[in-house]
Amino acid sequence: MRDILPVLKGWYSAGAPFGLATVVAVAGSAPREPGAAMAVGPGDEVVGSVSGGCVEAAVFERVKEAVADGSARLLVFGYADEDAFAAGLTCGGEISVLVRAVSPRLDPSFGAVAESVAAGEPVAVATVVDGPAPHGAALAVWPDRARGSLGAEGLDAAVAADARGELAAGATRMRHYGPRGRRREDAVSVFVHSFAPPPRMLVFGAVDYAAAVARIGDFLGYRVTVCDARPAFATPRRFPPGVDVVVDWPHRYLGGTDTDARTVICVLTHDPKFDVPLLEAALRRPAAYIGAMGSRRTHDERRARLVAAGLTEGELSRLRSPIGLDLGARTPEEVAVSVAAEIVALRWGGSGAPLALARGPVHRSRP
């Protein structure tokens, strides 16, 4: 959804009605997560995807119908083994897709949401999916305000409070309420889509590998910062556009930077005077991933220094070193793929083994 918003913002600003299909729930092995979106605009232009191709043709037709009558409807697609030609998911899972028409009249807050997402401001959108409430009604929620309505004052208040909690956690999910907002009831289904600012990737050490890691981090949607104490290495021209480059001692920069449970920290300095004080600080603060480059001998020596600095076994267990998965990587670009693969595997609970040798669903549920 974040990727297609610039296009949708243009359609909305021009006053052109368009249809939006959003994945609001998945079951089993499904190709896309809740929040994946596809839109149909003027001239039947299509942007985005809800299934990677399995049901797009069927969704396209229903989106056009929604635009024509200004309605909203919930579609459910699953594997249809009794009819090989029916629209279904060949992966065997099931997805629920909310289709609705969007225009300045139907959704007055959409433009403000798109502006906030573009500016990196946190905002959540709560949309009625099912139940005794106006289907497709949307409530935009910021940390300090809200716009729109789901049809009942009590429902608006309860959903706004919960949406702020989901936004703080960066979570996108379905929630259930009574018609007036009672949380113990499940008559009304509301999809809360959080647009939290992109997670951060902090790359320490402006070495050759750093440019490749920064590039793939940017590709994965991280807001990337490269930090090095050596001005000759930490120069913006050595890194992709959009990557922040900072000249500072790594541990000092980290000490003045906020991290959270989504932050990725890659230590590529390969120098004890940088690595040890940096990792001592990093392993004691929130982060999704902390990896350090080096040989096994370097790792053993670095670990001994961290033990001497007072880190516990629990803290040290968070360190991924040597960094990356065993892909046989040699070049900086190959190493970057190895690092990215380990980050993705840790995020989703993957084993890192070839899918041909693994068992169970190809698309894992979030851990």
Side-chain angles (χ1 to χ4, degrees), residues 128-289:
V128 175
V129 171
D130 200 8
H135 291 190
L139 177 69
V141 181
W142 290 265
D144 59 349
R145 65 192 188 280
R147 287 182 60 181
S149 177
L150 303 182
E153 184 177 347
L155 182 59
D156 289 345
V159 171
D162 291 343
R164 290 188 176 101
E166 303 289 17
L167 185 57
T172 288
R173 70 184 76 185
M174 192 85 77
R175 298 189 68 99
H176 304 280
Y177 304 87
R180 297 182 181 276
R182 288 178 62 88
R183 294 181 176 86
R184 296 180 182 178
E185 302 177 23
D186 60 0
V188 180
S189 299
V190 178
F191 180 64
V192 180
H193 193 172
S194 295
F195 294 94
R200 299 196 66 188
M201 172 182 279
L202 305 178
V203 180
F204 293 98
V207 296
D208 290 344
Y209 296 98
V213 171
R215 188 176 298 111
I216 203 166
D218 179 70
F219 175 75
L220 291 175
Y222 288 93
R223 182 162 61 92
V224 182
T225 299
V226 176
C227 174
D228 198 303
R230 300 163 294 184
F233 293 94
T235 59
R237 66 177 178 273
R238 299 184 62 229
F239 297 94
V243 172
D244 295 326
V245 180
V246 175
V247 179
D248 200 351
W249 279 78
H251 73 282
R252 186 167 59 192
Y253 175 77
L254 183 63
T257 300
D258 291 332
T259 63
D260 59 26
R262 302 183 301 154
T263 303
V264 165
I265 299 174
C266 299
V267 180
L268 311 181
T269 46
H270 205 276
D271 186 328
K273 69 175 178 290
F274 294 125
D275 291 358
V276 174
L278 171 60
L279 288 171
E280 184 180 354
L283 293 168
R284 287 172 170 161
R285 59 163 53 216
Y289 174 90

Side-chain angles (χ1 to χ4, degrees), residues 13-80:
S13 299
F18 61 89
L20 181 63
T22 306
V23 177
V24 296
V26 301
S29 179
R32 304 297 301 276
E33 284 292 297
M38 167 183 151
V40 180
D44 289 346
E45 180 182 355
V46 178
V47 293
S49 170
V50 293
S51 72
C54 300
V55 301
E56 260 67 9
V59 172
F60 173 79
E61 295 299 331
R62 301 303 291 273
V63 171
K64 289 180 62 177
E65 293 172 5
V67 174
D69 59 22
S71 66
R73 60 204 73 185
L74 182 65
L75 313 177
V76 180
F77 296 96
Y79 181 66

